[in-house]
Amino acid sequence: MQKAAQLGFGAIYVSEKYGGTGLTRLDSSIIFEALSRGCVSTTAYMSIHNMCAWMIEQFGSEEQKQHWIPSLASMEKFASYCLTEPGSGSDAASLATTARCDGDFYILNGSKAFISGGGDTDLYVIMVRTGSPGPKGISCILVEKDTPGLSFGKKEKKVGWNSQPTRAVILEDCKVPVSNRLGEEGQGFNIAMQGLNGGRINIASCSLGAAQASLELAANHLKVRKQFNKPLAEFQHNQFKLAQMATNLVASRLLVRKAASSLQQNLPDAVSLCSMAKLFATDQCFDIVNQALQMHGGYGYLKDYAVQQYLRDIRVHQILEGTNEIMQLIVSRDILQN
């Protein structure tokens, strides 16, 4: 990870002023796609880490930026994003983790679920309730790993994403300075959602890399594997399937890149495009990888063959950073409001 950071992958779209690489969202999409061809799971965590670094630059105080971003950019320290709770996933605005102000400190109580890097990372960007019910009562607080009252659940056993740990983050009278708040009180939900807009492009880009690699693996397998005395590549059914897979992959890539450019320019359609890109690309890319596995026949189900790992790793992309059902709600709401 730190070797990756030396190449500039620790804070890709954070300004160089704080040690970031200063590239665009489009650059980031290309990078995450390329890295995911090697390992989706590792790249996906890097994308979350990058999202956290960007959130600190975008909403943090000058002191917070100078303190955290250089060590995140070098990956000397790692960050985790903490929004989901055992009782609030898609309904993020109903989160129940609380932060009660006590003088110059907040006292945090509650738990977060499915936290990538949980227990092994150094900084937790946590959404908490400081005010009334609903999105306007949510704030964002930075909690360091060794803070008393912060603990972690067991390491989850997952279908994929196995190069990174996932644990619950537990807060029990966790005392954090008010100066650790990111942005203003009540701004947390907005901070969380703005982070996720980019996160959706990043995760969609990770799916692109898996689909591209799987398409190439399938094509190579079809050329080599013979049935009925001829290579599988000579069967028109397989040729047509490859054509459909490649077409859907290119369509997905173009939509993801379009969304990345729109977000970079802060255009009015950015939120909707990010949701469309995440919805379309993660669905299509999973289907491409699944079809690539099918083309491998029984071999595709063996762990000796890479295609099954791509399948296991990208299945969760249709769930996290906002489920694809929620993406449809966001897109349809944008259409109906306009």
Side-chain angles (χ1 to χ4, degrees):
M1 296 290 277
Q2 287 171 351
K3 286 182 180 179
Q6 289 172 16
L7 297 173
F9 299 155
I12 299 169
Y13 46 97
V14 172
S15 69
E16 294 176 273
K17 177 181 178 182
Y18 301 105
T21 310
L23 296 179
T24 67
R25 298 284 189 169
L26 180 58
D27 298 324
S28 303
S29 175
I30 294 166
I31 290 167
F32 290 137
E33 177 179 348
L35 291 174
S36 287
R37 293 177 65 174
C39 181
V40 172
S41 172
T42 304
T43 308
Y45 170 73
M46 289 171 64
S47 79
I48 295 166
H49 174 89
N50 270 266
M51 178 174 70
C52 293
W54 176 84
M55 289 165 70
I56 293 171
E57 182 192 34
Q58 194 71 13
F59 300 100
S61 65
E62 188 64 27
E63 183 182 356
Q64 288 169 337
K65 295 174 191 178
Q66 291 183 4
H67 178 73
W68 283 109
I69 295 177
S71 59
L72 294 176
S74 66
M75 288 190 168
E76 174 191 344
K77 293 187 176 178
F78 298 98
S80 289
Y81 176 85
C82 306
L83 175 63
T84 299
E85 296 182 0
S88 67
S90 294
D91 184 15
S94 70
L95 65 83
T97 296
T98 59
R100 174 177 56 84
C101 197
D102 183 11
D104 293 332
F105 293 88
Y106 284 112
I107 309 300
L108 278 60
N109 282 283
S111 63
K112 298 292 181 178
F114 311 127
I115 303 306
S116 294
D120 286 81
T121 49
D122 305 283
L123 181 66
Y124 297 85
V125 183
I126 304 182
M127 307 307 149
V128 297
R129 186 163 304 285
T130 52
S132 58
K136 293 183 179 178
I138 295 170
S139 300
C140 180
I141 296 180
L142 305 177
V143 181
E144 297 184 52
K145 183 178 182 179
D146 296 327
T147 305
L150 174 66
S151 61
F152 306 95
K154 64 176 176 60
K155 185 177 177 180
E156 304 289 0
K157 296 178 181 177
K158 296 170 294 184
V159 171
W161 274 31
N162 289 317
S163 70
Q164 50 164 297
T166 299
R167 295 184 179 91
V169 171
I170 302 162
L171 302 150
E172 298 173 297
D173 291 332
C174 183
K175 192 174 182 181
V176 179
V178 169
S179 59
N180 280 31
R181 188 185 67 229
L182 203 61
E184 301 299 323
E185 263 200 18
Q187 195 181 0
F189 191 77
N190 179 49
I191 292 172
M193 293 303 107
Q194 287 201 43
L196 284 178
N197 287 330
R200 286 162 185 161
I201 293 171
N202 296 345
I203 285 298
S205 301
C206 291
S207 288
L208 293 175
Q212 179 67 51
S214 297
L215 178 64
E216 292 171 8
L217 288 170
N220 290 334
H221 183 78
L222 293 179
K223 293 175 188 175
V224 173
R225 175 73 167 158
K226 290 185 177 180
Q227 291 287 276
F228 307 102
N229 297 316
K230 61 180 180 178
L232 292 177
E234 293 184 15
F235 289 87
Q236 192 177 62
H237 171 81
N238 290 330
Q239 294 169 0
F240 283 6
K241 281 291 184 182
L242 275 180
Q244 291 169 0
M245 292 158 69
T247 302
N248 290 338
L249 175 56
V250 171
S252 298
R253 182 179 289 122
L254 290 172
L255 180 53
V256 173
R257 303 288 198 256
K258 169 71 173 175
S261 296
S262 183
L263 185 62
Q264 182 69 34
Q265 297 171 61
N266 198 29
L267 298 179
D269 62 356
V271 173
S272 184
L273 277 173
C274 289
S275 300
M276 287 180 187
K278 197 267 185 185
L279 167 66
F280 188 78
T282 59
D283 278 351
Q284 292 296 324
C285 289
F286 181 80
D287 289 345
I288 291 165
V289 176
N290 194 36
Q291 184 59 51
L293 189 151
Q294 185 73 14
M295 287 175 164
H296 280 74
Y299 294 106
Y301 207 63
L302 301 180
K303 287 196 173 181
D304 296 321
Y305 286 73
V307 67
Q308 52 75 35
Q309 184 173 331
Y310 289 120
L311 185 88
R312 289 186 291 107
D313 281 342
I314 69 165
R315 178 59 183 87
V316 74
H317 295 184
Q318 294 164 289
I319 300 171
L320 48 73
E321 310 285 24
T323 65
N324 283 8
E325 289 76 15
I326 292 295
M327 296 306 97
Q328 293 175 78
L329 283 177
I330 293 170
V331 173
S332 62
R333 186 170 61 208
D334 182 66
I335 294 167
L336 293 169
Q337 284 176 348
N338 292 327

